[in-house]
Amino acid sequence: MISSSDALKNLVQCVGSSAPALFGKTILVSSPRLRLEARALGFKKIVQARGAGTQWQLAALATIASQR
């Protein structure tokens, strides 16, 4: 679950050489801009919440959980 550009970049930087494995995981973002940034970094499974509010984040998480 990512809600800022800095958090997204820090996540990728922290995993370093393991980033390719991370790019196959589902990532939840809170905006269209973050979706584009995540795609540009290499993420393949991106879910965009309808907004940054808690209710939208929880709804998106529920959607992800129901698909597993």
Side-chain angles (χ1 to χ4, degrees):
M1 207 159 89
I2 297 291
S3 60
S4 77
S5 186
D6 287 337
L8 181 60
K9 291 173 188 166
N10 287 337
L11 174 63
V12 173
Q13 184 178 21
C14 283
V15 297
S17 63
S18 297
L22 178 68
F23 296 147
K25 304 294 183 190
T26 301
I27 186 169
L28 171 61
V29 297
S30 58
S31 71
R33 180 183 52 83
L34 284 173
R35 183 183 185 96
L36 291 174
E37 288 185 39
R39 177 80 56 212
L41 286 170
F43 286 91
K44 305 289 186 248
K45 299 175 185 175
I46 305 166
V47 174
Q48 179 185 323
R50 293 182 72 186
T54 303
Q55 73 274 22
W56 300 120
Q57 300 291 317
L58 290 173
L61 286 172
T63 298
I64 292 168
S66 71
Q67 294 174 353
R68 294 188 176 253

